[in-house]
Amino acid sequence: MTTDTVTKPRNPYWQLWRTTPKEVLYLMLGFPLAMTGFGVAISLVATGIGTLAVFLIGFFVMILALYVGRGFGLAHVNLLEWAGRAKIQRPDWQDDRAATGFGGWISATLGNAHYWLYLLHTLILSFVLTLITWTLSIGWLSVGLTGISAWFLDGEVQTGDPDWSLGAWFFGLFGVNTAGWNLEIADNIVAFIVGLIFIATLPFVTRGLVMTHWWLARALLSSFKSDGLRREVQSLEESRGAALSAEGHSLRRLERDIHDGPQQRLVRLQMDLAAAERQLDVDPEKARQLLSEARVQSAEALEELRALSRGFAPPLLLDRGLVAALDSVATRAAVPTTLTSELPEAFVLPGEVERASYFVVAELLTNVAKHAGAQHAEVQLSVEHAEDRSWLLVQVSDDGQGGAAVLADHGLAGIEERVRGVGGRLEIDSPAGGPTAVTARLPLPKTSAERAPVAL
């Protein structure tokens, strides 16, 4: 027998009340913030314009005003998000460009439209809108609280005209004669009803006022589409450079390994075969010994070539996928290694991500065997879903001595270049004394994340 659980729908009105306290506080705090921003910004702008002709002092004062606008605008955006509104994408301030020198700094500030929009928001629009919304929210809240508490605090609604009565006026609108009534009670009843209505509608008012601020902030203070394109181009350029560097490093290493290993053995093999050929008629026993040594040399050269070929994508990776290939790597590792995979069975990985993951694990396990002094290592595969995209996390940890760091022309530097080559990043946590955890975060295309189940 099965029991169906019916989920009761949430009351949207009470959901509004959940964020109302923060919205009220936002509207209260927004007033001093807007007043302070307006006062500082208008002073700097006026000073800057007035001193432009004095050794360009006003020029730098105007830049300071732009930074002030940026600071108050970001504070306003953070306060909106704290109040429960949706996140606003931060703009590209081009700080990296500003760090290139004086010319880059001037271009990144005066030539960046975001600075001027933030200054406009702080100087005029936020100031005007905050005055309106603060007045409305204070008035609405005051009427509501005064109305529901008038009965208990004052006993009578006081007005400037002693002959005027709130109860008589209100009931008179409906043609009710209040002669002989206790107008004090009538006044308090009307005040309580009005206050209750104002308090009951407070969530709608605060939500509307805060959303007005959010729409203005989204229009002026959010990033442009071109900002995302610029970051994407910059990321692609860095990834391309890292990929080229990693490829060059791999080719140089492969060339050196072939020269130092199989090539030397093949040269010796050639010499042994030549010596054996000369000894065939003179000393057959010596020739047989030389041929035996040549056979050993050929077997060792073949084994070294097989080891070097692991630098290329193995057939197992192409045929059975990443998990099977890494299981083979973990089995062959010099340090006992455990493989843990949290990847869904139907998860589809791009070929370049699979190859990068395979080589990262293979090289990290080699480093563990050479330098860590570890007794055990672990390889973990998982997927992290972020707001914009998903990431494949490849982590290799060990119980060794720690102290791992990225140094030029060393193993971890080559691994980092390989990870950056596919748009990822390498994170190293290796305190002195261990343990060590190296995590490669590799980006996944949206199609892979969409095809993958959420959980196993």
Side-chain angles (χ1 to χ4, degrees):
M1 179 177 180
T2 59
T3 303
D4 296 330
T5 302
V6 179
T7 303
K8 295 183 179 179
R10 294 182 177 180
N11 191 317
Y13 176 73
W14 295 115
Q15 291 299 310
L16 286 175
W17 269 106
R18 294 180 60 185
T19 57
T20 298
K22 283 188 174 182
E23 292 170 350
V24 171
L25 191 56
Y26 162 79
L27 293 169
M28 298 300 104
L29 294 177
F31 180 76
L33 179 66
M35 295 303 103
T36 305
F38 170 78
V40 176
I42 194 66
S43 301
L44 289 175
V45 170
T47 304
I49 294 176
T51 58
L52 276 175
V54 185
F55 301 107
L56 297 180
I57 293 177
F59 178 78
F60 294 100
V61 175
M62 286 299 298
I63 293 180
L64 179 59
L66 293 176
Y67 277 104
V68 168
R70 170 181 171 176
F72 278 96
L74 289 175
H76 190 84
V77 170
N78 291 332
L79 196 58
L80 271 172
E81 293 175 356
W82 172 82
R85 297 304 92 219
K87 182 178 178 61
I88 295 177
Q89 188 66 34
R90 303 300 190 270
D92 182 7
W93 297 109
Q94 302 181 20
D95 291 331
D96 53 343
R97 185 179 179 185
T100 59
F102 182 76
W105 174 61
I106 296 298
S107 178
T109 51
L110 294 180
N112 191 338
H114 290 297
Y115 278 98
W116 296 101
L117 289 175
Y118 269 64
L119 181 60
L120 175 65
H121 181 270
T122 301
L123 192 61
I124 301 176
L125 300 179
S126 177
F127 173 71
V128 174
L129 182 59
T130 300
L131 280 178
I132 298 173
T133 58
W134 183 81
T135 303
L136 288 174
S137 59
I138 284 291
W140 204 276
L141 194 60
S142 299
V143 171
L145 293 178
T146 302
I148 62 176
S149 60
W151 192 301
F152 311 99
L153 297 180
D154 203 28
E156 183 179 0
V157 177
Q158 302 291 336
T159 65
D161 185 0
D163 297 329
W164 187 87
S165 169
L166 176 63
W169 171 81
F170 177 79
F171 288 106
L173 294 176
F174 302 96
V176 179
N177 187 3
T178 59
W181 286 26
N182 187 330
L183 294 181
E184 178 182 337
I185 296 177
D187 288 350
N188 289 327
I189 290 176
V190 173
F192 182 81
I193 293 174
V194 172
L196 196 61
I197 293 174
F198 271 68
I199 292 297
T201 55
L202 182 64
F204 300 102
V205 175
T206 58
R207 176 62 59 86
L209 297 179
V210 172
M211 286 301 299
T212 304
H213 279 281
W214 183 81
W215 285 326
L216 178 63
R218 184 181 179 185
L220 293 181
L221 308 183
S222 62
S223 62
F224 301 151
K225 291 184 179 180
S226 58
D227 293 343
L229 293 176
R230 179 179 179 271
R231 286 191 292 265
E232 188 69 22
V233 169
Q234 183 178 3
S235 176
L236 290 175
E237 289 178 350
E238 293 177 353
S239 298
R240 179 176 177 272
L244 292 175
S245 177
E247 186 69 19
H249 177 77
S250 298
L251 289 175
R252 289 191 299 271
R253 184 184 62 183
L254 182 61
E255 180 182 8
R256 181 180 65 250
D257 291 343
I258 292 176
H259 179 271
D260 295 341
Q263 181 174 327
Q264 298 298 325
R265 294 190 181 279
L266 290 175
V267 170
R268 181 178 174 182
L269 174 62
Q270 184 181 17
M271 295 173 61
D272 288 346
L273 290 175
E277 186 178 13
R278 291 192 300 269
Q279 295 293 332
L280 279 176
D281 297 330
V282 179
D283 190 351
E285 187 63 28
K286 180 67 173 178
R288 185 179 296 105
Q289 181 181 355
L290 290 173
L291 289 174
S292 178
E293 293 178 358
R295 182 177 59 81
V296 174
Q297 292 292 332
S298 65
E300 292 178 352
L302 180 60
E303 183 62 28
E304 288 192 2
L305 286 173
R306 286 175 176 171
L308 290 174
S309 69
R310 296 189 186 113
F312 303 97
L316 185 61
L317 177 64
L318 301 176
D319 296 338
R320 299 182 55 190
L322 179 62
V323 176
L326 292 185
D327 183 62
S328 176
V329 172
T331 303
R332 299 196 312 267
V335 176
T337 303
T338 303
L339 173 64
T340 303
S341 174
E342 299 178 3
L343 300 183
E345 295 182 359
F347 200 80
V348 179
L349 289 172
E352 62 274 11
V353 174
E354 281 192 332
R355 288 192 295 272
S357 303
Y358 176 83
F359 294 132
V360 164
V361 172
E363 294 177 26
L364 285 175
L365 290 179
T366 300
N367 284 349
V368 170
K370 289 182 178 179
H371 309 295
Q375 301 298 318
H376 182 266
E378 183 177 3
V379 179
Q380 292 180 322
L381 298 177
S382 61
V383 176
E384 180 183 89
H385 298 286
E387 294 181 359
D388 53 346
R389 71 188 314 165
S390 297
W391 299 82
L392 174 66
L393 304 186
V394 182
Q395 184 181 83
V396 177
S397 55
D398 65 75
D399 57 358
Q401 60 189 0
V406 177
L407 301 176
D409 299 326
H410 285 70
L412 287 178
I415 296 173
E416 184 180 43
E417 287 183 348
R418 185 184 295 278
V419 172
R420 289 176 55 200
V422 293
R425 61 180 183 269
L426 193 70
E427 300 172 354
I428 301 175
D429 181 14
S430 182
T436 296
V438 181
T439 304
R441 305 173 67 90
L442 306 175
L444 297 173
K446 293 183 179 180
T447 53
S448 295
E450 291 170 356
R451 286 198 300 264
V454 175
L456 286 173

